Amino acid sequence: ETGVTQTPRHLVMGMTNKKSLKCEQHLGHNAMYWYKQSAKKPLELMFVYSLEERVENNSVPSRFSPECPNSSHLFLHLHTLQPEDSALYLCASSQDRGRSQPQHFGDGTRLSIL
Amino acid sequence: RKEVEQDPGPFNVPEGATVAFNCTYSNSASQSFFWYRQDCRKEPKLLMSVYSSGNEDGRFTAQLNRASQYISLLIRDSKLSDSATYLCVVRDGQNFVFGPGTRLSVLP
């Protein structure tokens, strides 16, 4: 499925680097999400954007900074990350108005912090 | 109490077996329900939505009991390719609440 595309697929960075994760959805959805999944752990919701407005920030450290310039694109800017931030970062989208509609996920970015 | 709870697993079953997963949710205002599967180191993929009257998709049957706030997934005639983690997901408005997942291993 190519409805939600994430880049890069893999990222290795040092703790002092700045990088950005990108997500793009081609499904005409109006809500987008960032999740973090550490090894063998459940998904953790990080941010929710609906109609380009941030509607949820789940106590995420400020070294993670989301950006949603339009309803099709979502970024996660990374700065001064810690080793415990190594995880799979998943982007998802959904149709906000159709409350029976599911989420669709991208392939994820596997992030490793050295 | 966690918002969405699932059987802790793992479930190890032989090929051809029937296996059932249970899920309970705490928010009675939840509006819609889904089962996803997640393969190791991959993204969750929608398996099926769960409708009030229950629904079936091939070997998979989902049931919803709103009064008991309970959802189930039944897999018949298990295949090796069914090995994955099964996630129960409950939607409340914009929020999708994921259960911790139940891991299934189908053995030859």
Side-chain angles (χ1 to χ4, degrees), chain B residues 11-19 21 37 39 47 57-60 74-86 103-108:
Chain B
F11 283 39
N12 298 313
V13 303
E15 267 187 291
T18 295
V19 59
F21 300 133
R37 69 170 278 167
D39 293 287
L47 180 64
D57 182 2
R59 298 181 292 109
F60 299 85
L74 184 77
I75 305 176
R76 290 182 299 279
D77 188 23
S78 302
K79 311 291 184 192
L80 296 177
S81 57
D82 294 333
S83 297
T85 296
Y86 289 82
R103 192 151 64 89
L104 171 67
S105 293
V106 181
L107 307 173

Side-chain angles (χ1 to χ4, degrees), chain A residues 10 17 22 25 45-46 50 53 61 69 73 78 82 88 113:
Chain A
H10 301 273
N17 292 156
K22 179 182 175 183
Q25 59 95 2
L45 179 65
M46 299 176 74
S50 177
E53 296 285 328
H73 293 85
L78 315 172
Q82 304 299 309
L88 179 66
I113 306 300

Side-chain angles (χ1 to χ4, degrees), chain B residues 89-101:
Chain B
V89 182
V90 173
R91 180 170 185 174
D92 174 21
Q94 295 156 337
N95 296 321
F96 289 81
V97 184
F98 282 74

Side-chain angles (χ1 to χ4, degrees), chain B residues 5-79:
Chain B
E5 297 194 63
Q6 294 186 239
D7 291 328
F11 283 39
N12 298 313
V13 303
E15 267 187 291
T18 295
V19 59
F21 300 133
N22 301 312
C23 171
T24 56
Y25 60 96
S26 60
N27 184 355
S28 59
S30 298
Q31 299 157 322
S32 44
F33 311 90
F34 311 94
W35 283 102
Y36 282 71
R37 69 170 278 167
Q38 185 173 24
D39 293 287
C40 189
R41 298 172 68 84
K42 295 283 185 73
E43 79 279 16
K45 292 188 177 176
L46 179 67
L47 180 64
M48 59 196 301
S49 301
V50 186
Y51 302 120
S52 297
S53 54
N55 49 299
E56 188 174 308
D57 182 2
R59 298 181 292 109
F60 299 85
T61 301
Q63 297 280 349
L64 168 64
N65 184 324
R66 284 188 187 269
S68 303
Q69 295 178 205
Y70 167 85
I71 307 158
S72 67
L73 176 68
L74 184 77
I75 305 176
R76 290 182 299 279
D77 188 23
S78 302
K79 311 291 184 192

